[in-house]
Amino acid sequence: MNGRLVIIGIGPGSAGLITPDAHAALATATDVIGYGPYLNRIAIGVHQTRHASDNREEIERGRHALALCESGRAVAVVSSGDAGVFAMASAVFEAIETGPETWRTLNVSVIPGISAMLAVSAKLGAPLGHDFCAISLSDNLKPWSLVCHRLRLAAQAGFVMALYNARSRARPDRLGEAFDILRSELPSDTLVVFATAISRPEERVEISTLADADQTLADMRTLVLIGSAETRRIRGTSFLYTPRSVPA
Ligand code: SAH
């Protein structure tokens, strides 16, 4: 049996941001696995089996995909944005690493997608034009103390920060705590952007400063971007960018 498993990033929301390679890989799948709302974004043919799941239990979903692949199916695992950024690709590889020996030789590949930070960056102008980092504020998979430590060091290092999983109903106050840490390290006029549901109909962008940043502007569809000392708005335009160089 010649099963295969393709892990596919379907971009941040709009159909136009799904790459042709992603479409091609989806079209030839017999089984499509993913979080229900992500599956709703793609066309699934009548000949394809749809396996919708909730957003937790990612490793279990990975194991399910690998078992189907081993049985000879052509499986597509779908993630939003890029599947390798805080998403399913690592869960599948973790399942391979901890699973039966036979899973190591399965035909597995990954198709890149447009991650939320890239869509947000394009929307704003070019805020990621110089050194930056991406941090997930979720403490589901790591201790909150580690998130705080990384925020502090990233601020000290002068990185622009793309903060994923910025806020959710289960974690309503963590973003406020993160802003407090950043306020102790960075100037109060540091730019803070709340970019919500970028490339979807309900898209919203709010630009603030660290002094005024209000965590209630964020929900689970929001990426929060923290500017560096060089990040600026161009007067008279709607653009925000980070120059490619830092003065000596
Ligand atoms: N693999 C995804 C990230 C999954 S984590 C990617 O590469 O984009 C989920 C988080 O991504 C959300 O909480 C939010 O912070 C961010 N996100 C996903 N889609 C977004 C969008 N359209 N606009 C803004 N942020 C988004």
Side-chain angles (χ1 to χ4, degrees):
M1 295 221 215
N2 286 323
R4 62 191 157 78
L5 169 53
V6 189
I7 310 163
I8 305 171
I10 57 164
S14 90
L17 295 181
I18 303 176
T19 69
D21 278 4
H23 278 300
L26 277 168
T28 55
T30 56
D31 296 76
V32 186
I33 300 183
Y35 176 44
Y38 299 161
L39 295 184
N40 294 340
R41 284 201 223 148
I42 52 178
I44 295 182
V46 284
H47 62 288
Q48 295 178 307
T49 309
R50 184 181 192 272
H51 305 264
S53 58
D54 75 17
N55 211 8
R56 289 157 298 170
E57 284 309 316
E58 290 179 331
I59 300 221
E60 198 39 58
R61 208 186 306 161
R63 288 195 191 104
H64 179 206
L66 288 156
L68 281 171
C69 170
E70 192 171 32
S71 75
R73 311 285 294 178
V75 185
V77 171
V78 165
S79 259
S80 82
D82 179 85
V85 178
F86 307 126
M88 273 307 293
S90 292
V92 170
F93 289 112
E94 208 173 321
I96 292 174
E97 191 178 21
T98 55
E101 202 61 32
T102 49
W103 284 1
R104 293 172 188 234
T105 52
L106 293 175
N107 178 356
V108 175
S109 58
V110 185
I111 309 264
I114 296 172
S115 188
M117 67 183 170
L118 302 181
V120 169
S121 166
K123 176 75 3 194
L124 295 169
L128 306 182
H130 195 71
D131 299 344
F132 67 91
C133 65
I135 300 177
S136 168
L137 292 196
S138 169
D139 56 359
N140 286 344
L141 299 169
K142 65 187 166 193
W144 178 247
S145 58
L146 182 60
V147 178
C148 297
H149 183 59
R150 289 186 174 162
L151 285 169
R152 204 176 284 286
L153 294 185
Q156 288 170 10
F159 287 124
V160 169
M161 293 175 226
L163 304 181
Y164 283 76
N165 297 310
R167 189 158 178 262
S168 72
R169 248 170 278 150
R171 298 177 286 106
D173 296 318
R174 291 301 203 199
L175 181 58
E177 290 174 39
F179 286 150
D180 286 341
I181 290 169
L182 296 175
R183 283 186 191 109
S184 70
E185 301 289 342
L186 295 168
S188 55
D189 62 353
T190 298
L191 287 167
V192 176
V193 179
F194 296 83
T196 300
I198 296 306
S199 88
R200 298 183 213 156
E202 68 275 23
E203 171 178 296
R204 205 180 66 226
V205 176
E206 313 263 358
I207 301 180
S208 180
T209 60
L210 203 44
D212 296 329
D214 171 5
Q215 66 169 355
T216 65
L217 291 175
D219 62 27
M220 61 183 292
R221 303 159 305 162
T222 307
L223 184 137
V224 174
L225 193 119
I226 311 289
S228 69
E230 288 78 33
T231 306
R232 60 193 76 160
R233 299 173 84 168
I234 302 178
R235 244 196 313 269
T237 77
S238 59
F239 294 118
L240 185 153
Y241 85 111
T242 306
R244 290 174 302 145
S245 57
V246 177

